[in-house]
Amino acid sequence: VTSAADVAVVGPGAIGSLAALAAQMEGHRVRIFGRSDPGVPIRVVQQSGTPIGELDFPVIVLGDRNVTTGDAGGSADWVLVAVKAHQTHAAGPVLAALCKPSTTVVALQNGVEQVEGLRPYVNGAEVLPTVVWINAERIGPAEVAVDGSSVPRLHVPVGSRGEAFATLLADSATLRVELVEDFRSEAWRKLAVNAINGLMALTSQRARIYQRSDIAALTRALAVETLAVARAEGADLPESEADVLVEMFTAMPPDRGTSILADRLAGRALEWDVRNGVVRRLGRRHGLATPVSDVLVPLLAAVSEA
Ligand SMILES: NC(=O)c1ccc[n+]([C@@H]2O[C@H](COP(=O)([O-])OP(=O)(O)OC[C@H]3O[C@@H](n4cnc5c(N)ncnc54)[C@H](OP(=O)(O)O)[C@@H]3O)[C@@H](O)[C@H]2O)c1
């Protein structure tokens, strides 16, 4: 039995609400911080509509003024960051108010640059990176739907922080924390999935586009260049992984979406830089050609600003 901890979640969206619910179910003291108040408690349901649970506390909105630790209700032992990567900077004052050096900040975000992205905002707290294997989406101002076809999982690197986080959420059936030995390779495998998901955002279409042979060929080329950058960054991902990725995308249920497509359809800014821009940026650093990303990235950036 774990003792109750002070858990703060920043970003009451699809992933943050699910994480907050899992922490609540484990008996922790949970606060959740957002930029708007939905007015009613957030409900989390399966995509089928079956309820999973409801947060028994409201969303706290502190605004963008100078936020003090007192305004936030005190610092936290755990700060789970579930804003989109491009929203981290705006959430900086809340993060600073919640974090002390002994806090563990858990990055519930996509991308392989989580630690560098959060470090400037967390007062010297340690940042635990994760790979988020969850498919969830906001279906209303206070409602989140989670794909229940497999247990939502967070992968964390082996080590004492990861173990402590796994203990925090115990063996929650709502959200399972698993430790992985080769976290770098795992993070890059997910990054390759994210980069390929960019094609859905660009075409405003769900996974059925991958059944086109021309899109499958483009997917393969994008996977190959992403895996080359991944290997240059130390990931153990052979080029043959590209075929695994193409197979995975062509076999996806045609109606499957992704968070970057949801943002595109809602006319919101896109998380393009940490999901696609990174391939081109790090490719350049290693002197690797990334011809597919060289085209996709400016298009995604332009669409994101439209
Ligand atoms: N959804 C998925 O299936 C999935 C899967 C794997 C990884 N991820 C990753 O997980 C991360 C979170 O994604 P998500 O899908 O949960 O996004 P989301 O549903 O858009 O949630 C983001 C939340 O952060 C809030 N927010 C924005 N700026 C804020 C600020 N300054 N202070 C406090 N809250 C703020 C948003 O408020 P508003 O309501 O006002 O916008 C929203 O509630 C992303 O990095 C994403 O790539 C998502």
Side-chain angles (χ1 to χ4, degrees), residues 111-134:
V112 291
E113 300 161 306
Q114 298 169 349
V115 177
E116 302 93 292
L118 287 171
R119 197 179 277 136
Y121 303 102
V122 299
N123 292 330
E126 188 161 330
V127 180
L128 179 70
T130 74
V131 178
V132 181
W133 291 110
I134 300 172

Side-chain angles (χ1 to χ4, degrees), residues 12-15 17 35-36 42 84 87 136-146 262-263 266 268:
I15 302 300
S17 300
R35 64 176 173 186
S36 52
I42 296 177
K84 295 262 162 62
Q87 298 166 334
E137 113 180 74
R138 279 185 290 172
I139 53 170
E143 195 159 32
V144 166
V146 181
D263 284 339
R268 294 188 288 256

Side-chain angles (χ1 to χ4, degrees), residues 144-247:
V144 166
V146 181
D147 176 358
S149 54
S150 56
V151 178
R153 282 168 305 142
L154 293 173
H155 282 179
V156 297
V158 289
S160 55
R161 297 277 171 161
E163 274 165 31
F165 185 51
T167 306
L168 184 84
L169 294 187
D171 216 359
S172 165
T174 310
L175 184 56
R176 185 166 300 159
V177 179
E178 293 170 352
L179 294 134
V180 292
E181 287 285 340
D182 186 358
F183 182 80
R184 185 186 294 263
S185 301
E186 176 84 358
W188 273 97
R189 184 176 292 112
K190 178 69 198 284
L191 198 275
V193 171
N194 287 150
I196 296 167
N197 278 332
L199 298 174
M200 286 197 252
L202 263 186
T203 55
S204 298
Q205 290 190 55
R206 292 184 173 257
R208 66 171 45 81
I209 53 157
Y210 300 106
Q211 289 171 11
R212 293 178 58 103
S213 57
D214 50 3
I215 297 286
L218 183 60
T219 298
R220 191 170 192 289
L222 176 56
V224 167
E225 75 183 32
T226 303
L227 294 168
V229 177
R231 284 193 298 277
E233 286 283 306
D236 181 15
L237 293 170
E239 190 170 311
S240 56
E241 275 290 321
D243 299 317
V244 177
L245 286 160
V246 172
E247 238 167 74

Side-chain angles (χ1 to χ4, degrees), residues 7-25 30-34 42-44 54-55 57 59 79-84 87 106-110 130 132 134-138 143-146 152 154 165 169 174-175 259:
V7 179
V9 179
V10 180
I15 302 300
S17 300
L18 181 68
L21 181 65
Q24 170 183 307
M25 285 170 153
V30 188
R31 287 169 282 163
I32 193 163
F33 296 86
I42 296 177
R43 273 165 39 88
V44 182
E54 189 173 293
L55 299 186
F57 42 87
V59 173
V79 175
L80 316 187
V81 184
V83 295
K84 295 262 162 62
Q87 298 166 334
V106 185
L108 301 183
Q109 296 181 314
N110 265 313
T130 74
V132 181
I134 300 172
N135 189 11
E137 113 180 74
R138 279 185 290 172
E143 195 159 32
V144 166
V146 181
L154 293 173
F165 185 51
L169 294 187
T174 310
L175 184 56
S259 61

